[in-house]
Amino acid sequence: SNDGLLLRKIVLLYGKMYLEFQKYHAVRFITMECVKKILEWYWVQILSEAPKMVSSPTDPENAPELVLGSLLIQGMELYKNVVKNFFYAIDEANTEPDNDARRCRQIIDGEILVPNFVTQMAETLINYYIPLKAKDLEMWQDDPETWMVEEDSDYWSFDVRRSAERLFVDVVDQQRAQIVQQLVHMLWHNTNDASNSDAAFFHREGLYAALGLCANQLYDSMDFCGWLKQHPVVDSPMGAVKWRVAWLIGKWVPVKFPVEERGYAYSVLLQLAHREEPLIVRMEALASLSLCIDDWDFDAEQFKPFLQPSIEAMTSVLNDVTMAESRMRIVNFMSALVCRMQREIMPFAEAILQLIPPLWQSALQENLYQTTILSLVTKLVEALGTHSTAIQQFIAPLVQHSIDLSDPAHVYLIEDGLELWLALIRNGTALDPSMSQLAKSIPSLLQYSTETLKKVLKIIESCVLIDGNAIFAEHGSALLDGLHNLASDNGLAVRATAAGYVTLNVIVQCIPLDVCQGPLVESNLLWTAFTRVVERKEAAIVLVHHAGFLARVAVHYPSLFAEFLASQEALLAKAFVENWVDLYDDIGQVAQRRLHAIAFAAAIATTNDGVLHSLPLMVPIWNDIMSNTGSSQLYFSD
């Protein structure tokens, strides 16, 4: 009725007020004279609505309507904030008997959370509120994938069961001495009831839920592995029981499960992931298997016998699910498996690669889904190592699509695409022509964003190291033009400029002069670095990078450097050398100081008067370098 609806709205407004008051004035809330009556009223409502929570799991259509769901959630949140609250925690260092925390604790322990009430609360939550509901089981049949997505969400404030789970965990955590041993006894002796009655189902389901939710509180008192072996519920005809067992293993393995018994957990989960099982059970089994794989104590050698059935199970579920979120989950599970197994995944690489085209096709409008696929391929490339050279042609189109700046999707894909590109180059022994063609995108990527700049520079360096001559023969001019724009951009941070020059130094060290000379001269890089040092308008921390590049050129391309200096006017050359020598004291790394000293020696090969005029400035530096390295002593001793 309208009056009933109005009354519920008023009660909910009061509940909201109590929660806000408790949140911002926790001490005043608990010390109110009426707080005990308020909490008792909410508990009466929770008890009165409890029978409605356990309608027959086989007849969800006739489940009574829960009209006070929001009220129950408010009541549970009020109790949760009483059970566990920072403001009610006693500081042992504070010995004052009248401090706020001690007064609150006395009220809570002596009047609200008395032992009998705590026991009643735990039993009520286990038997009525935390078990799966009839609507959950109905949704398993109609839309299991949506149910899984909702189950993983954190929308506890809209769901009575998840609010009850939060309250129950805090009750057990704060009242361990009273509840844990009693709960462990119930788990060992009250979960063998094979009856199919509704009461038996919900009681057993509630205990299973409690066992998983409180794994962190029970691990000292509960032998879960022994319990699992004594309760062979894998053969149960009820899908809810199988799902709960798969869920339990995922909760307990990261907390406490003997390493030598992990094989038993794997075998149980793979049984539950078999194609004959309900889809919801298979998906949960794979989720728990992923948690096992991602655990600190995971042993790849121990998992080898289970590798093939795991991949088969994941492939089977991928073929059966339809939602992008579900496929993303399975792809992420497979990524974790590939990452942990490394070289052991090699025999199954082809089977995994065959999944990529249909997966990518199904993800064309799902950018986040595409990033998970790129991540999987990246991990597979890293696991294959040098064998990944054979699949470069197959994977290059994925990289090209991800870094295509004309496609709006690049905003989401570019970082993962660059990571895949870098992995392909670093793990390959050669570059396929399709990979070499990707290099034409590098100049535009250099200008794209400073967030991706580091990876782009690493890609250039890796390309140069693996097949620099071929890359430069086709794309040398474009690459150096892009790097020149980077080096001459005054708006960049010092780190970005330094990173660009590191890449240029790699190029100079790896590419022969006859291949690099033309593009290097045309790019004006030498002139830009030279004029920056001559003008000396920038800070020394930036100028040393310009000078360092010229020093590298002088050492590796001495004839080019000498020709370049000889072509400059004497006044310019003199200013350059004087400023260059002055920057020597701003160079911190010993290796770089030595490089500059050698470059000074290369510079005097020119006949430019401006350079030769500065020769006296270089002699002390050579003296310093030789004395620090012991080179002079070694020379004369020989």
Side-chain angles (χ1 to χ4, degrees), residues 183-184 187-188 211 218-225 227 252 256:
L183 181 57
V184 169
L187 287 165
W188 277 103
L211 177 58
L218 298 176
Y219 72 92
D220 278 336
S221 306
M222 182 74 182
D223 177 14
F224 175 73
C225 183
W227 178 89
W252 271 89
K256 183 183 178 183

Side-chain angles (χ1 to χ4, degrees), residues 53 137 146 238 329 414 447 460 463 545:
M53 304 297 295
L137 303 181
T146 300
M238 299 188 68
R329 286 166 59 91
I414 190 167
Q447 303 298 317
I460 297 174
C463 287
H545 297 299

